Amino acid sequence: MLAMSRVIELIVNGAHRALETEANRTLLQVLREDLDLTGCKYGCGEGRCGACTVLLDGQPVRSCVTRVSAAAGKQIRTIEGLEQHGRLHPVQEAFLKADAMQCGFCTAGMILSSVALLEESPHPTDADIVEFMRGNICRCGTYARIMNAVRLAAGETKGGGR
Ligand code: FES
Ligand code: FES
């Protein structure tokens, strides 16, 4: 049976977008397929890996298991929206400085979770970082450098370690 389409109003990286879509599609599908925001990745598709993480009203959510209808009217931030005035977000800079990526598949989700953490808690402990980032998995095992990147973004000076 075909699902009914309807117009859904989204606010993506500050821009209002009205699109006709089936309300039961996932936010990830709409971001990637309709809005061409392919920074968020399809990994497990089950809410377990964090590759599809975006921020919804500042909170990290797994867009692969979030219905697009649940995001209507909320502030959606994707990796494409972090840059401001042509400059990378400090967390993006920190990930580059700390060389905190290999294949890069997890990186957008890692960065967005880090942004949410640091907005909520600007000076997290290592335990805070591990706890908050628990849902983001890196198949390349880049965790030590990701930790360094988050510390660096928080104003520490431990970037670059491997
Ligand atoms: S693709 Fe969404 S959590 Fe893995
Ligand atoms: S850098 Fe490859 S999955 Fe994290």
Side-chain angles (χ1 to χ4, degrees):
M1 191 175 76
L2 284 177
M4 294 283 289
S5 288
R6 67 180 226 220
V7 174
I8 294 194
E9 308 257 353
L10 298 177
I11 309 166
V12 186
N13 298 326
H16 289 253
R17 310 291 297 260
L19 26 109
E20 188 167 338
T21 184
E22 293 156 17
N24 65 354
R25 288 175 77 213
T26 66
L27 179 57
L28 180 63
Q29 285 175 311
V30 170
L31 291 173
R32 288 182 59 84
E33 296 168 12
D34 296 14
L35 300 178
D36 207 22
L37 295 170
T38 54
C40 44
K41 302 293 186 231
Y42 182 93
C44 65
E46 299 178 345
R48 293 172 186 266
C49 75
C52 64
T53 301
V54 299
L55 303 185
L56 212 53
D57 284 345
Q59 294 301 309
V61 298
R62 307 297 179 238
S63 63
C64 70
V65 290
T66 303
R67 296 279 169 231
V68 64
S69 52
K74 297 184 178 166
Q75 294 286 342
I76 302 163
R77 274 166 95 191
T78 72
I79 194 76
E80 291 87 350
L82 288 187
E83 184 185 294
Q84 285 205 330
H85 310 299
R87 299 195 59 167
L88 293 179
H89 188 283
V91 174
Q92 291 175 301
E93 293 280 9
F95 269 68
L96 283 174
K97 276 191 196 136
D99 197 16
M101 63 204 73
Q102 286 190 43
C103 76
F105 202 81
C106 70
T107 308
M110 289 286 185
I111 289 174
L112 285 160
S113 287
S114 304
V115 167
L117 167 64
L118 295 175
E119 285 180 353
E120 188 176 301
S121 170
H123 302 291
T125 63
D126 283 358
D128 293 337
I129 298 170
V130 169
E131 180 59 31
F132 198 88
M133 308 281 289
R134 187 174 293 283
N136 289 84
I137 293 171
C138 176
R139 295 176 301 182
C140 301
T142 325
Y143 295 110
R145 284 181 271 160
I146 290 167
M147 285 291 291
N148 282 343
V150 182
R151 292 184 191 120
L152 190 62
E156 303 286 338
T157 53
K158 297 175 186 169
R162 286 177 190 239

